[in-house]
Amino acid sequence: MAVNPGSLASHARWAEKFGFPFPIAVDADKKVAAAYGALNALGGIKRSVFVVDRQGKVAWAKEGMPGTDEILSAITA
C-alpha cells in the first residue's frame, strides 16, 4: 500500500497511468507522514519507503527512492 497527501482522484489517475496495482491511501492532513517522520522542515513530504511487518512494526525504512531489488530484499529478509 502507498500513502500520499494527494486526492483520491489524483491517486486513481496515477495508479492507472503507471499500472500501480496497490491501493494508495489519502493522507490529506499529513498525519501519517508526520507520524513516520516523513515531513521536511517546510511541511512537505520526504519521499520514503517503509516496510511494516505483520505485527505492525516498522521492519525497514529508507528515505529517497530505493531500487526494487533493495525493497524486495527488505521484504524477504
Side-chain angles (χ1 to χ4, degrees):
M1 175 197 290
V3 180
N4 183 284
S7 69
L8 189 57
S10 71
H11 291 172
R13 286 191 304 272
W14 187 89
E16 184 176 332
K17 180 178 179 178
F18 294 103
F20 193 73
F22 305 101
I24 304 172
V26 175
D27 183 27
D29 57 9
K30 300 181 184 175
K31 286 184 179 180
V32 174
Y36 279 83
L39 291 179
N40 64 29
L42 300 175
I45 300 296
K46 294 187 287 187
R47 186 177 300 271
S48 309
V49 175
F50 297 90
V51 174
V52 179
D53 69 17
R54 291 176 192 223
Q55 288 74 41
K57 294 185 180 188
V58 175
W60 184 83
K62 183 148 188 184
E63 280 188 27
M65 294 181 60
T68 302
D69 290 340
E70 188 175 3
I71 296 169
L72 291 174
S73 291
I75 291 170
T76 59

